[in-house]
Amino acid sequence: NANKLMAESDDEYSNSTDNSIQYPKIEEVSWPETVEFSNNYRWDEEVPDIIKSKYISKNSKLRAFRPSKKVYVKKITDPNHPAFGEYGLFCALPEGLPPGAWILDYVGKVTLGEKQDKSSDYVSDFGEKSELACDANTYGNEARFLNDFRNTGSFPNVEFNTRRDRHGELRQGVFVKLKKDAKIANAKTGQEFDGIKQHEELLVSYGKSYWRSRVGNLTDFVWRLPGQPPVANRPSAVGIDTGDCTKNGGDAA
């Protein structure tokens, strides 16, 4: 049950008397030294209080500095994966994640949209009207390791949706896509999407605007559509590192 899973999972981030940091485990390497790990948003001082008050509840609680139990970070070892040699985010639960389930939140530094760092590859739209930006370049949690679905041969299986936690704070949630989304029907069997299995990679859509700003012609950039086998002598990803970043959510094509 997605609602039950969400309620149980929210306890992972409840405030505790233990303020020590438990870093997420990453295969063969440590958490990046250049990234401060946290499950709490860091608001830029230039964001007006009148805007912050819409998103930060008086009952908001400091969240514990520990990793999610539902995901883990792993090095991409498939040579046909566009992020080969980099890292991705995978499902850790033996029972998997059902459609519509909340997984974790995308956390970072929150700024006004017009003040975002345009050189960062970790910026996600934030706010009820996308008037803010959330940047996980140097501050955030495991969600920053989400990869884009393009050229993996798979459809996106997660998406960004804002949510209010039990204390009323607005957060950028990462959710398993819903079954009603026909785009993620299993391309090989024709069966409906039934969630994410254990050890399956979580894939999102960075959005067309993200890729167009980096590669220009998106049609030429996409060499492998979902459901298609690996392509021999696939073209280079033009120097874009897709294995360690999450971008503005958007249309999946």
Side-chain angles (χ1 to χ4, degrees):
N1 183 288
N3 292 328
K4 180 174 184 292
L5 179 61
M6 180 173 175
E8 292 175 347
S9 300
D10 206 41
D11 289 335
E12 295 178 13
Y13 305 105
S14 296
N15 190 24
S16 74
T17 56
D18 181 8
N19 291 322
S20 62
I21 300 177
Q22 299 178 29
Y23 292 98
K25 295 181 180 179
I26 305 178
E27 186 180 79
E28 299 180 357
V29 297
S30 301
W31 180 259
E33 294 183 358
T34 57
V35 180
E36 182 179 350
F37 175 74
S38 180
N39 287 310
N40 301 286
Y41 290 105
R42 177 171 290 171
W43 288 78
D44 185 82
E45 60 184 14
E46 292 190 25
V47 178
D49 289 340
I50 191 171
I51 293 180
K52 290 173 60 177
S53 64
K54 294 193 303 181
Y55 301 129
I56 303 177
S57 167
K58 294 180 179 180
N59 299 318
S60 293
K61 304 290 185 181
L62 183 68
R63 290 173 177 244
F65 296 85
R66 57 175 180 259
S68 169
K69 298 176 182 177
K70 300 186 296 301
V71 297
Y72 65 94
V73 181
K74 175 186 174 184
K75 190 171 185 177
I76 304 294
T77 58
D78 179 4
N80 295 303
H81 196 296
F84 173 60
E86 300 296 334
Y87 293 85
L89 197 64
F90 294 78
C91 176
L93 298 179
E95 66 273 24
L97 291 159
W102 169 72
I103 308 171
L104 77 170
D105 295 321
Y106 189 75
V107 175
K109 297 178 181 178
V110 180
T111 66
L112 293 171
E114 62 267 26
K115 296 291 185 178
Q116 67 176 274
D117 180 0
K118 296 187 182 302
S119 66
S120 173
D121 282 336
Y122 300 84
V123 178
S124 170
D125 290 341
F126 189 56
E128 293 178 339
K129 297 182 179 180
S130 297
E131 74 276 28
L132 302 170
C134 180
D135 188 354
N137 185 26
T138 61
Y139 177 91
N141 62 6
E142 310 98 303
R144 71 188 302 278
F145 288 96
L146 278 166
N147 281 318
D148 185 82
F149 79 100
R150 291 171 178 81
N151 297 327
T152 64
S154 299
F155 286 94
N157 52 19
V158 301
E159 61 187 354
F160 293 118
N161 284 308
T162 52
R163 72 182 188 93
R164 293 279 180 178
D165 70 5
R166 63 181 61 185
H167 302 296
E169 179 184 1
L170 186 83
R171 299 180 66 84
Q172 181 80 305
V174 179
F175 289 82
V176 180
K177 274 183 165 286
L178 294 171
K179 181 179 290 186
K180 66 179 182 181
D181 190 339
K183 289 184 178 180
I184 52 178
N186 189 300
K188 293 182 179 180
T189 66
Q191 297 177 349
E192 288 290 329
F193 175 68
D194 60 355
I196 302 174
K197 304 296 187 290
Q198 185 181 32
H199 304 311
E200 183 178 349
E201 184 179 8
L202 278 58
L203 296 170
V204 72
S205 171
Y206 291 172
K208 291 180 180 178
S209 59
Y210 166 80
W211 286 115
R212 284 193 181 119
S213 67
R214 287 160 172 78
V215 303
N217 190 321
L218 188 60
T219 301
D220 291 342
F221 171 70
V222 176
W223 67 81
R224 183 185 182 189
L225 295 174
Q228 290 185 341
V231 178
N233 301 317
R234 66 178 175 84
S236 167
V238 296
I240 298 296
D241 174 9
T242 61
D244 186 43
C245 49
T246 299
K247 315 304 164 299
N248 299 319
D251 36 2

